[in-house]
Amino acid sequence: MIESFGFPEFMFLIRSLGWTLALTVSSLLMGGVIGAFFAIARVSHNNLLRNAAVLYIQVLQGLPVLLVLFLAYFGLAYMGFDPPALVIATIALGLYAGAYLADIWRGAMESVPYQQWEASSSLAMTRAQQFRFIILPQSVRISLPPTVGFLVQLIKNTSIVSVVGYIDLMRAGEHIETSLHSPFMVYGIVALLYFSLCFPLSHLSKKLERKVHANRQN
């Protein structure tokens, strides 16, 4: 019944929102490290690195997130590991995020005009110096809007991790709904909490995109 939903249930959802944020941040950090490595590998002159990056990105982007989660869960169990659900979920979503961030950041680096690569080469800069002083500062600015946009997708994808035992916002809603039998109210509140996270980020992504576009026209 609606009147059965009280402050304890609401606070349980708020705590679970924090658990969703914790998973999002840990997955983003892991995915960021992986994505940065493979993004640089994609624009490398080394064929082996470039092909390995292409393979990783295409394979991970070609798999459903839920399948990646199952592979991480059963793969770790097969190797004799029994990590906490947060670790399993972080590995799965981190691998998934790494593939998409690598593509986003690779595109940002390649959008830097080729003349700037040539100009930095004429100054006898090494490849590392080109990245550090010329390419990365510009590509970071260019990549911010799609990165923030992808973060919204990552937050929404955390809703599947309950299958490995992690109590996120969606799973907490399922627990409450099971006891109250009021799905519209409970899932409506869950939807509002997801919206409170995703809408500001979506708005920020669009605002950053307009700003980057305006700066590139000047």
Side-chain angles (χ1 to χ4, degrees):
M1 299 189 52
I2 294 179
E3 59 267 24
S4 298
F5 187 92
F7 186 72
E9 288 78 15
F10 180 72
M11 289 308 299
F12 181 46
L13 289 180
I14 294 298
R15 287 195 300 272
S16 69
L17 182 65
W19 300 332
T20 290
L21 285 173
L23 175 58
T24 301
V25 171
S26 62
S27 302
L28 185 65
L29 290 175
M30 179 179 173
V33 173
I34 295 173
F37 174 79
F38 283 110
I40 294 174
R42 281 284 281 113
V43 297
S44 169
H45 292 317
N46 186 302
N47 287 332
L48 181 61
L49 281 177
R50 191 165 60 250
N51 291 333
V54 170
L55 178 63
Y56 172 80
I57 292 170
Q58 290 183 348
V59 169
L60 266 294
Q61 289 187 358
L63 296 177
V65 188
L66 184 59
L67 180 57
V68 178
L69 186 63
F70 281 142
L71 289 174
Y73 178 75
F74 291 111
L76 289 170
Y78 180 79
M79 291 185 289
F81 297 105
D82 186 23
L86 175 60
V87 174
I88 298 171
T90 296
I91 291 173
L93 292 181
L95 290 171
Y96 160 80
Y100 283 89
L101 291 175
D103 234 8
I104 291 171
W105 295 345
R106 183 269 311 167
M109 286 188 284
E110 290 183 344
S111 69
V112 176
Y114 185 70
Q115 292 83 351
Q116 297 194 29
W117 290 91
E118 293 180 328
S120 57
S121 296
S122 67
L123 295 174
M125 284 187 174
T126 64
R127 188 73 170 176
Q129 289 174 327
Q130 286 178 308
F131 274 108
R132 180 180 177 184
F133 297 110
I134 306 298
I135 306 305
L136 289 183
Q138 297 181 73
S139 60
V140 166
R141 176 176 54 83
I142 295 169
S143 68
L144 273 178
T147 299
V148 175
F150 174 76
L151 179 58
V152 174
Q153 299 301 318
L154 186 61
I155 291 172
K156 290 188 285 187
N157 280 325
T158 60
S159 61
I160 67 170
V161 300
S162 61
V163 297
V164 296
Y166 188 73
I167 307 298
D168 68 319
L169 177 57
M170 191 66 185
R171 185 59 174 170
E174 292 174 3
H175 281 312
I176 295 174
E177 193 280 326
T178 300
S179 61
L180 298 185
H181 303 291
S182 183
F184 185 79
M185 179 193 63
V186 174
Y187 290 126
I189 295 173
V190 169
L192 287 174
L193 291 174
Y194 273 116
F195 182 79
S196 70
L197 286 179
C198 296
F199 179 75
L201 289 173
S202 297
H203 181 71
L204 175 62
S205 176
K206 292 178 181 179
K207 184 176 181 180
L208 289 171
E209 187 175 0
R210 289 195 297 268
K211 184 176 181 180
V212 168
H213 182 70
N215 289 339
R216 295 187 72 180
Q217 285 185 328
N218 293 336

